[in-house]
Amino acid sequence: FPHRAPPATCCKAEGMSCLDIRKSATSSRYNVGGGAGDGLPDTPSQPHYPNSSLTEENGVATPSPTMSPSMRGFLGDLARCGEDEELYAGLCYKRCDLLTNGTHPIRTSTWTCCESEPCGFGNQKGSVGKTMACNGYGIGGDTALKVKGLACPHKPNPCPPESEEVLGFCFKPCAELTNGEFPYRLSALTCCKAEGIRACFDFGMTSTGQEYNIG
């Protein structure tokens, strides 16, 4: 699976074929920087902005954002979720490691947390709670909006003004990356000439490349 789509997914081919689950593989193990496992403090093990002094991307050198161990999102001034939250499927939820006292740190759905990869029926815990929403493991952090006393999952803080958001992630605008030729973003790797997913299914209207997958 040589082609990357979202941060935790790799595909057999580039472009729209990544929407076919038979041609993709998803795991939190893929959501790492190029320095993962080398033991060197100067090569980040977490995903980071392009840095010309490193090897993953040819880009302008910028400070690597601080990331928590399980990709909770940017911390400090660039925070999109609270420090006790994680970004999942476009919403901020209370972190699974806090909900399960560290035993099941990987969120796999709104109401389930997993002990370790690969996640299956035998190593997941679930908690739905007594209401349709904002209960069990499907809750927001301590600073989340409360509805009848229940902390609810919520949209993350907006991306910086110079970025655009897709599926909860912030990207450099397609208009800037393509000199205005493909100004609408469909995914991490694909930019389109027209807005809307129907237009983007016309391959003549899209441009796909790893170079678009940058913040």
Side-chain angles (χ1 to χ4, degrees):
F1 301 90
H3 305 285
R4 184 177 294 278
T9 299
C10 297
C11 304
K12 288 186 176 180
E14 288 186 308
M16 302 297 292
S17 62
C18 288
L19 296 177
D20 185 343
I21 61 174
R22 297 168 299 178
K23 296 181 180 179
S24 64
T26 299
S27 171
S28 62
R29 293 181 290 110
Y30 305 154
N31 197 12
V32 296
D38 64 8
L40 299 176
D42 295 330
T43 53
S45 61
Q46 296 291 344
H48 55 86
Y49 284 136
N51 189 325
S52 60
S53 65
L54 303 176
T55 59
E56 298 100 316
E57 284 283 350
N58 294 318
V60 177
T62 55
S64 298
T66 301
M67 309 295 285
S68 59
S70 298
M71 279 297 291
R72 309 300 176 199
F74 295 123
L75 304 180
D77 292 339
L78 294 176
R80 305 208 65 215
C81 297
E83 290 190 10
D84 62 344
E85 295 176 322
E86 58 194 347
L87 185 61
Y88 178 81
L91 293 176
C92 296
Y93 292 88
K94 188 160 187 177
R95 286 160 37 188
C96 273
D97 61 336
L98 298 177
L99 292 168
T100 64
N101 294 318
T103 62
H104 294 69
I106 304 169
R107 182 171 291 276
T108 51
S109 76
T110 299
W111 297 286
T112 56
C113 301
C114 173
E115 181 178 14
S116 61
E117 299 280 358
C119 297
F121 290 111
N123 64 348
Q124 294 193 74
K125 292 180 66 175
S127 178
V128 176
K130 298 179 181 179
T131 61
M132 288 295 292
C134 311
N135 212 326
Y137 291 163
I139 59 174
D142 292 342
T143 60
L145 175 69
K146 305 281 192 306
V147 178
K148 295 184 178 180
L150 302 174
C152 293
H154 59 91
K155 291 185 64 175
N157 293 328
C159 292
E162 67 274 11
S163 301
E164 59 191 3
E165 180 177 350
V166 172
L167 298 177
F169 292 94
C170 303
F171 297 92
K172 190 172 183 178
C174 278
E176 185 176 344
L177 291 168
T178 65
N179 294 318
E181 187 176 0
F182 300 91
Y184 302 100
R185 184 175 289 275
L186 174 65
S187 70
L189 298 175
T190 301
C191 300
C192 304
K193 285 187 175 181
E195 194 171 9
I197 191 169
R198 180 173 296 181
C200 292
F201 276 124
D202 182 344
F203 290 109
M205 299 281 286
T206 63
S207 177
T208 298
Q210 185 64 44
E211 64 271 20
Y212 302 149
N213 189 19
I214 60 174

